[in-house]
Amino acid sequence: MRHLYITVFKKSWLALFIIGFLTGSSATVLQTGKELDRLHILNNRLQGELTDKETQLKALNTKLQDKKAHVVEKTTLHIKLPDETWASHEAVQETLEQEIKKILTPLLGHPVEQIDPEVVHSLLHQRIISTNQGEFALDMKWLIISTDLQVNIEAVPKKN
Amino acid sequence: MQSYSYRFLLIFFTSMGIVLGGSLIGSLAAIITGNPPLLTTRKLAEEMKLWAVVAALGGTFTSIEVLGSGFFLGQFRPLAKQVLLIIAGIAGAEAAKHLIFSLTSP
């Protein structure tokens, strides 16, 4: 009898607890629901904005890369010196490279389509450059116009 | 034998209770899963109305049978009573929906 009483008592307690829990939870939902709803809507809006910004950023990056792809970014020089034994062969080459790069610097950042090969040719061909080892006349062999502007030049020592 | 007024009120309050309890306790799922609770409560109240009426009437077969016999056998008194019971169910569910909507209005 006592055992039955405890069981019934416990069951009713448990039922009361569950009902109380559900009632309390529902009341809490009603009380805090407005704020939760507001935060949820705000969160959704911010997520949407974030997605928009990410898409914009991606599009801008692509655009920037496209833009970059058509602009001269660097110059590469292939300088050929006559097979003569000079003491400072490398130094001459270095000086020539520096001077030619200086001449080509204005072309950096220019759109590839706008670069006229004739202009580059006239800038470099038969140009005289002075070094410690004397003067050199540049003989332009070929030219590649791309983001990497490549010029092949043969430097001929000028005989005085 | 249950009196008609008892059945009428029983259906009214049962359908009301189904909508109230269903939507309020159902919204706990929204809290647990991170969804908006009040929007869920309102949605549940709206969607549960019809089922609350059906459940409160105690299944649809009896009502349909009564409606059928009312129409085809000319028994208009039970037909009117049944229609009133259905209206009581709808009224209870509708009242509960309005209560929920006014409690959860933004």
Side-chain angles (χ1 to χ4, degrees):
Chain A
M1 184 66 191
R2 185 179 162 78
H3 178 71
L4 184 69
Y5 172 76
I6 289 168
T7 312
V8 170
F9 181 74
K10 275 182 183 170
K11 268 188 182 172
S12 65
W13 258 112
L14 186 67
L16 199 65
F17 172 76
I18 292 169
I19 290 168
F21 175 77
L22 291 174
T23 313
S25 306
S26 302
T28 313
V29 166
L30 287 174
Q31 201 180 8
T32 59
K34 274 181 193 168
E35 187 63 15
L36 287 170
D37 272 20
R38 193 184 65 79
L39 290 172
H40 194 267
I41 291 162
L42 184 72
N43 186 32
N44 275 353
R45 192 163 60 81
L46 291 173
Q47 288 280 355
E49 279 178 17
L50 182 69
T51 314
D52 276 359
K53 294 286 174 202
E54 275 176 353
T55 316
Q56 274 181 12
L57 189 68
K58 210 177 270 180
L60 283 172
N61 272 335
T62 315
K63 210 174 169 183
L64 191 70
Q65 280 186 357
D66 284 351
K67 220 175 179 178
K68 270 185 179 172
H70 296 101
V71 166
V72 177
E73 288 173 354
K74 62 171 185 172
T75 51
T76 309
L77 302 173
H78 306 276
I79 300 169
K80 196 182 170 195
L81 288 165
D83 294 323
E84 289 177 29
T85 47
W86 285 340
S88 56
H89 191 285
E90 276 180 14
V92 172
Q93 184 136 0
E94 187 64 36
T95 314
L96 286 174
E97 231 173 79
Q98 278 178 7
E99 287 300 315
I100 296 166
K101 282 203 170 180
K102 218 180 274 178
I103 295 164
L104 294 175
T105 303
L107 296 175
L108 290 174
H110 270 265
V112 171
E113 298 85 356
Q114 287 180 16
I115 291 175
D116 189 355
E118 287 290 335
V119 173
V120 183
H121 187 262
S122 63
L123 274 172
L124 298 174
H125 196 65
Q126 297 305 323
R127 193 170 186 131
I128 310 293
I129 291 177
S130 303
T131 67
N132 295 335
Q133 304 292 323
E135 286 184 335
F136 287 84
L138 304 179
D139 186 7
M140 199 173 124
K141 296 294 180 190
W142 49 259
L143 166 75
I144 298 172
I145 299 173
S146 69
T147 50
D148 181 12
L149 187 76
Q150 295 189 42
V151 186
N152 186 291
I153 288 169
E154 198 172 324
V156 184
K158 208 178 167 196
K159 287 167 185 166
N160 295 319
Chain B
M1 182 77 183
Q2 294 169 346
S3 69
Y4 181 74
S5 58
Y6 170 74
R7 275 200 74 196
F8 185 91
L9 287 175
L10 187 73
I11 288 170
F12 177 84
F13 286 116
T14 306
S15 64
M16 186 187 245
I18 289 168
V19 175
L20 279 176
S23 52
L24 283 175
I25 296 173
S27 66
L28 295 179
I31 291 276
I32 295 164
T33 56
N35 285 301
L38 294 192
L39 283 174
T40 310
T41 310
R42 278 202 287 275
K43 193 173 160 228
L44 281 172
E46 183 62 50
E47 287 176 356
M48 220 181 281
K49 260 180 359 185
L50 184 71
W51 300 109
V53 175
V54 173
L57 285 167
T60 48
F61 277 111
T62 319
S63 303
I64 291 166
E65 277 169 18
V66 173
L67 288 174
S69 62
F71 273 118
F72 299 115
L73 303 173
Q75 297 171 345
F76 291 107
R77 199 177 158 81
L79 175 73
K81 278 184 171 179
Q82 200 60 40
V83 170
L84 277 175
L85 289 180
I86 293 169
I87 289 170
I90 293 169
E94 200 64 37
K97 191 197 97 176
H98 282 289
L99 281 174
I100 292 286
F101 271 53
S102 53
L103 269 173
T104 59
S105 61

